[in-house]
Amino acid sequence: MYYPVSSVLIECIILSVVETTDSYGYEISQTVKLVADIKESTLYPILKKLEKNGDLTTYTQIFQGRKRKYYSLTPVGKEHLQFLRHEWSNYRDSLDAIIEGGIRE
Amino acid sequence: MNRESYLQQLKKYLKKLPHEDYVDAIDYFTEYFDEAGIENEQIVIKELGTPKQAASELLNQLVEKQTHAPVKTWSMKRTFWLALLAIFAAPIGIPLALTAILLLFSGILVLFSLLVAFISLLVADFLVAGKLILRGLVALPVSFSGGVSLIGLGALLIGIGLLVLPVIPTIWKITKRWSLSTVTRLTRKQVIRS
């Protein structure tokens, strides 16, 4: 991807991924990498931060004889996601208006 | 490099993290390798960058993320009280800390002197044994029984010396472990303080 993705946007993406169904590190990471050129060493601290802030909770499940850590959205995280979504659509709309519509101040 | 040695090196660099964070991070990357599968091992390693680089990025960002956390609202107040406490406690605290450090160091010194004493004792033991055997050999033509008992005494001393010999490495190990752990404990506290 040519445009860099900010860490706030990555938070929004992560929260969206786990919104309907819980997910695990690798799956989340692969989804984020569809749009962002991001390293695991950057992604992991963001995940960790979301967990520490109470947006995500984790639990471990056995998958094919080994542990897999699942992330799931908390009520706090849901609220945070709503806020991030709102901000994102405002941002996207303004951006589109400028880039495609030639809007000026 | 394979997955094992990669994780091994990552572990080494991440040791500075608090234990819980360290375990979490290592679990995460181990799981990541598991999910990617053996066939993608090299791709994952390439993607992650060198262990040193990945670890330093992780350390930077984990620390940064944590200091940005809600600590700020009450940390000012807390720092103030801590500072006040430090000032008032200084007349007692500093001599106390000094005493503790000196005690630890004297502990190390005691162990060291024990070690030195043991070594000199053994050296003396072997020297005396050698002397006794020589005297015994010289005395043989004069008095056979006297010579033989001197040689026997010498042999006995050598035997005792050999029996006691393994104690030295043990003392040495204890001394080393003790001084190392003391020094690391002291330096770690200083890092937190600064």
Side-chain angles (χ1 to χ4, degrees):
Chain A
M1 288 285 141
Y2 186 74
Y3 290 108
V5 180
S6 76
S7 68
V8 183
L9 193 50
I10 286 171
E11 280 180 25
C12 182
I13 297 168
I14 293 173
L15 295 178
S16 308
V17 171
V18 294
E19 189 188 11
T20 44
T21 36
D22 300 349
S23 183
Y24 51 95
Y26 189 73
E27 197 180 62
I28 295 172
S29 152
Q30 295 309 104
T31 312
V32 171
K33 279 173 190 161
L34 289 176
V35 291
D37 191 11
I38 188 179
K39 276 185 167 179
E40 223 39 49
S41 46
T42 313
L43 183 63
Y44 174 73
I46 298 176
L47 255 181
K48 189 83 190 163
K49 182 197 161 192
L50 288 171
E51 193 188 334
K52 280 221 163 105
N53 288 357
D55 293 321
L56 297 174
T57 50
T58 61
Y59 59 93
T60 310
Q61 236 172 38
I62 301 296
F63 173 80
Q64 293 184 349
R66 57 186 172 75
K67 284 190 291 182
R68 197 185 241 180
K69 193 169 171 182
Y70 279 91
Y71 294 82
S72 86
L73 199 63
T74 64
V76 176
K78 235 167 225 165
E79 227 164 87
H80 190 189
L81 178 58
Q82 250 164 27
F83 166 75
L84 287 173
R85 256 198 197 130
H86 181 71
E87 286 296 312
W88 168 250
S89 59
N90 282 349
Y91 176 70
R92 186 196 51 207
D93 291 347
S94 312
L95 212 57
D96 277 353
I98 297 169
I99 293 175
E100 285 161 20
I103 274 192
R104 287 182 189 212
E105 172 74 335
Chain B
M1 196 184 325
N2 63 7
R3 165 205 157 119
E4 286 316 314
S5 61
Y6 190 93
L7 286 171
Q8 212 56 47
Q9 284 192 48
L10 197 64
K11 277 182 193 170
K12 197 179 77 190
Y13 291 122
L14 289 180
K15 277 267 156 64
K16 292 170 210 155
L17 282 175
H19 185 69
E20 206 183 311
D21 291 343
Y22 165 80
V23 173
D24 274 359
I26 296 300
D27 280 354
Y28 182 86
F29 284 94
T30 312
E31 192 189 305
Y32 194 86
F33 269 110
D34 283 338
E35 299 291 348
I38 303 166
E39 64 277 10
N40 293 321
E41 205 175 287
Q42 289 310 316
I43 298 172
V44 171
I45 289 173
K46 212 175 153 196
E47 215 179 70
L48 289 173
T50 64
K52 197 174 178 181
Q53 201 189 337
S56 77
E57 278 165 19
L58 279 171
L59 285 171
N60 273 336
Q61 306 209 34
L62 282 174
V63 170
E64 198 183 310
K65 295 269 139 71
Q66 273 161 22
T67 44
H68 275 299
V71 194
K72 266 181 186 157
T73 44
W74 46 276
S75 82
M76 278 299 282
K77 216 168 148 191
R78 209 183 167 207
T79 336
F80 172 73
W81 285 115
L82 267 177
L84 208 67
L85 181 70
I87 292 167
F88 280 115
I92 308 166
I94 290 173
L96 218 64
L98 216 69
T99 321
I101 291 171
L102 286 178
L103 267 175
L104 284 170
F105 271 108
S106 39
I108 295 172
L109 280 180
V110 165
L111 280 171
F112 253 112
S113 30
L114 257 174
L115 191 69
V116 172
F118 247 108
I119 292 173
S120 2
L121 210 72
L122 275 176
V123 170
D125 176 81
F126 285 124
L127 284 177
V128 170
K131 168 92 174 164
L132 278 172
I133 290 172
L134 274 178
R135 283 302 286 246
L137 285 174
V138 173
L140 270 180
V142 187
S143 154
F144 183 73
S145 55
V148 169
S149 48
L150 281 179
I151 292 172
L153 259 175
L156 184 71
L157 283 183
I158 287 177
I160 292 172
L162 287 177
L163 275 177
V164 180
L165 203 60
V167 174
I168 289 181
T170 320
I171 298 182
W172 173 239
K173 255 184 230 156
I174 294 172
T175 317
K176 216 164 69 176
R177 203 179 308 148
W178 229 74
S179 17
L180 273 179
S181 68
T182 313
V183 170
T184 46
R185 219 174 296 154
L186 284 175
T187 44
R188 202 175 294 160
K189 262 184 199 144
Q190 267 160 3
V191 168
I192 291 167
R193 250 181 245 143
S194 60

